[in-house]
Amino acid sequence: MLPTVIITAAIVLAVFFYYLFYIRPKLDPLYRAGAFERQDLLREAVLEYNKALEMHPKDFITHYRLANLHQRLGEVDRTMHHLERILEIDRFNYEVDRVNVLKRLAELYYEADNIEKAFQTYYEVLNQTPNDYDALYYLAFISLGQEEFEFAQRYFERLVKAGRNEFEIYFGAGICSYQNQRIPEAVGYFKSALAVRPHSDIGNLSMA
């Protein structure tokens, strides 16, 4: 009697573990999504991740992976949707970094010509990481494009202090200084711009 019980129990346990470690994972949409992604079957992976979201709508990691897939597929609106959802959920980890999500979203807004949202999002990046070069760069040039010369000058001056020897930075700082009636500073910035790119027509014209 005892051997029969032991054998039955062993069979039951074997079936249980077989289901737990072999069959059940294959039924999991996240497992299937990962498998499809590794095979570069992006559309199929998207479908499976969406099934997972139906069960767990606030799974920020799934939103992040969907954002990555949609971006690879060139689907900007869907990418932005999932990045925005991550910010609404407001949960992050080693894979899903808040600053990274903000910067990606800001770049997409900028490319979509949604300048106001791009500015706001880059500004939030700067609140998180005050010396972020990309945020300073875009805030400076967006402000310059909107003819907010005083705001733009603040960002350009911080970019100059960051030590990047770039023509565009010096030139932008020079334009802002000129518009803000800070002529000696404008001359200095234009000289620095021409030191980087001596044959620039616009640089030489601005200096003249």
Side-chain angles (χ1 to χ4, degrees):
M1 181 67 180
L2 187 59
T4 304
V5 172
I6 292 172
I7 291 169
T8 303
I11 292 171
V12 170
L13 283 172
V15 170
F16 173 74
F17 283 115
Y18 181 77
Y19 169 79
L20 188 65
F21 293 105
Y22 184 76
I23 296 176
R24 185 180 175 184
K26 292 188 175 182
L27 299 175
D28 183 356
L30 290 176
Y31 177 90
R32 292 198 300 269
F36 283 134
E37 202 171 348
R38 287 189 292 274
Q39 297 172 63
D40 214 31
L41 299 170
L42 305 187
R43 294 288 180 194
E44 290 81 353
V46 166
L47 288 173
E48 294 301 326
Y49 278 129
N50 279 323
K51 289 178 186 176
L53 273 187
E54 288 175 8
M55 295 183 283
H56 303 286
K58 292 188 177 181
D59 186 339
F60 65 102
I61 297 174
T62 300
H63 279 291
Y64 185 76
R65 292 175 182 174
L66 274 167
N68 292 340
L69 288 172
H70 284 298
Q71 192 155 27
R72 289 175 66 186
L73 290 164
E75 297 169 349
V76 175
D77 288 344
R78 298 304 301 165
T79 305
M80 288 193 291
H81 166 75
H82 289 291
L83 293 175
E84 286 167 345
R85 284 289 294 126
I86 293 167
L87 294 175
E88 288 170 9
I89 295 165
D90 198 26
R91 289 188 61 200
F92 305 93
N93 65 0
Y94 68 94
E95 181 181 354
V96 187
D97 176 73
R98 180 180 176 82
V99 171
N100 174 264
V101 171
L102 285 167
K103 288 177 74 171
R104 286 178 61 186
L105 195 52
E107 185 177 347
L108 291 171
Y109 287 146
Y110 188 81
E111 289 174 358
D113 209 28
N114 192 335
I115 302 303
E116 184 178 349
K117 277 193 172 184
F119 186 92
Q120 291 170 349
T121 309
Y122 276 122
Y123 191 79
E124 193 170 346
V125 171
L126 210 60
N127 285 335
Q128 299 282 315
T129 51
N131 295 316
D132 187 276
Y133 185 83
D134 292 331
L136 285 170
Y137 185 94
Y138 281 99
L139 287 171
F141 279 102
I142 289 171
S143 299
L144 180 60
Q146 298 296 312
E147 299 186 356
E148 296 286 349
F149 299 113
E150 290 187 15
F151 285 109
Q153 178 129 27
R154 296 176 198 171
Y155 298 124
F156 277 116
E157 286 175 350
R158 290 171 66 179
L159 286 167
V160 170
K161 288 178 182 176
R164 299 274 187 107
N165 195 33
E166 298 180 19
F167 173 86
E168 291 80 5
I169 302 303
Y170 291 128
F171 184 77
I175 291 294
C176 290
S177 296
Y178 178 78
Q179 292 292 339
N180 291 325
Q181 302 299 309
R182 295 160 63 173
I183 306 304
E185 290 181 27
V187 171
Y189 286 130
F190 288 138
K191 280 184 179 178
S192 296
L194 287 171
V196 178
R197 198 180 296 170
H199 302 297
S200 166
D201 290 337
I202 193 170
N204 282 290
L205 180 62
S206 298
M207 176 63 81

